[in-house]
Amino acid sequence: MVKLKNLIKILALNVLGTALLLSWYLPENHGFWFAIDKYIFYFFNDLLPVNKVYMYFVAFINLRFFDIVDFL
């Protein structure tokens, strides 16, 4: 019985994940995700030309080293 509950949870989460992916992938301009993505992009990037410390911090965390750390 426990295995059946786990299987149902796994299948439900896979269906939800697939639905989330398709909600972004299928609509032109990525549907309502485009507005959210645009807001987040400008929120984090508007300060780049204004604040040098923030600009160097963003450049530093975008190095390949941090990608390797995230991967591990």
Side-chain angles (χ1 to χ4, degrees):
M1 192 65 169
V2 174
K3 290 183 180 184
L4 180 62
K5 285 184 179 180
N6 286 339
L7 181 63
I8 291 171
K9 287 179 186 177
I10 291 170
L11 291 174
L13 290 173
N14 277 297
V15 168
L16 286 173
T18 303
L20 180 64
L21 174 69
L22 292 177
S23 76
W24 174 83
Y25 183 72
L26 290 179
E28 187 175 331
N29 291 326
H30 304 297
F32 73 95
W33 293 112
F34 180 73
I36 296 169
D37 186 40
K38 183 177 166 184
Y39 172 77
I40 291 171
F41 176 81
Y42 284 112
F43 177 80
F44 284 107
N45 289 316
D46 275 347
L47 290 177
L48 287 176
V50 177
N51 189 336
K52 284 242 188 230
V53 174
Y54 180 67
M55 179 181 67
Y56 286 120
F57 173 72
V58 170
F60 182 69
I61 64 171
N62 280 306
L63 294 174
R64 287 289 153 204
F65 171 74
F66 285 96
D67 293 337
I68 293 169
V69 171
D70 286 341
F71 179 72
L72 294 176

